[in-house]
Amino acid sequence: QVQLVESGGGLVQAGGSLRLSCVASGRTFSSYAMGWFRQAPGKEREFVAATVTWSGGRTYHADSVKGRFTISRDNAKNTVYLQMNSLRPGDTAVYYCTADNSGIQYPSSSVGEPAHYKYWGRGTQVTVSS
């Protein structure tokens, strides 16, 4: 089982930056596909970004955050990050870290489907004020 511990959420002004961190348990973290999703009140959980272990560790970012958010990982620290720049009020949501240790490769078209990810953090609140 993979346990995920998130940190870094908070309140920031529009245009500001924030970095979320997620520390994962396990000895084979480098083989995990990792991702970030977010959920605002009354809305479905939305894909934000992911990094996979195939295709040279390719990363994916939702259109809504491309150019502003960047997912990265530090395998030595068992940690995945989400660097968020140019934050907007529309980014306000609970952000969830997720992991998949199955080793199964997904088509690029389905990387953003939450069903691919088995383990989830409890979420960290990000609030962006106007």
Side-chain angles (χ1 to χ4, degrees):
Q1 295 184 346
V2 177
Q3 294 180 331
L4 304 172
V5 181
E6 301 165 329
S7 62
L11 173 65
V12 298
Q13 294 183 339
S17 298
L18 202 63
R19 188 178 75 163
L20 306 183
S21 299
C22 174
V23 180
S25 65
R27 297 181 179 180
T28 57
F29 174 79
S30 62
S31 68
Y32 302 170
M34 302 292 297
W36 290 95
F37 287 72
R38 66 187 183 186
Q39 188 168 24
K43 296 184 178 180
E44 295 182 354
R45 191 163 295 189
E46 175 190 23
F47 171 73
V48 176
T51 175
V52 299
T53 58
W54 57 94
S55 299
R58 186 173 180 177
T59 60
Y60 301 84
H61 298 82
D63 289 342
S64 60
V65 305
K66 283 182 179 178
R68 300 189 299 120
F69 293 8
T70 303
I71 189 171
S72 63
R73 66 197 300 162
D74 185 339
N75 289 334
K77 297 181 178 179
N78 271 33
T79 302
V80 64
Y81 303 97
L82 185 68
Q83 178 65 48
M84 304 185 293
N85 299 325
S86 302
L87 283 162
R88 306 165 180 168
D91 296 319
T92 296
V94 177
Y95 284 71
Y96 297 91
C97 176
T98 188
D100 172 42
N101 65 348
S102 70
I104 299 173
Q105 298 182 15
Y106 332 128
S108 296
S109 60
S110 65
V111 164
E113 296 183 2
H116 287 310
Y117 303 94
K118 185 176 182 179
Y119 301 98
W120 296 84
R122 295 185 178 183
T124 183
Q125 177 70 47
V126 172
T127 302
V128 184
S129 62
S130 301

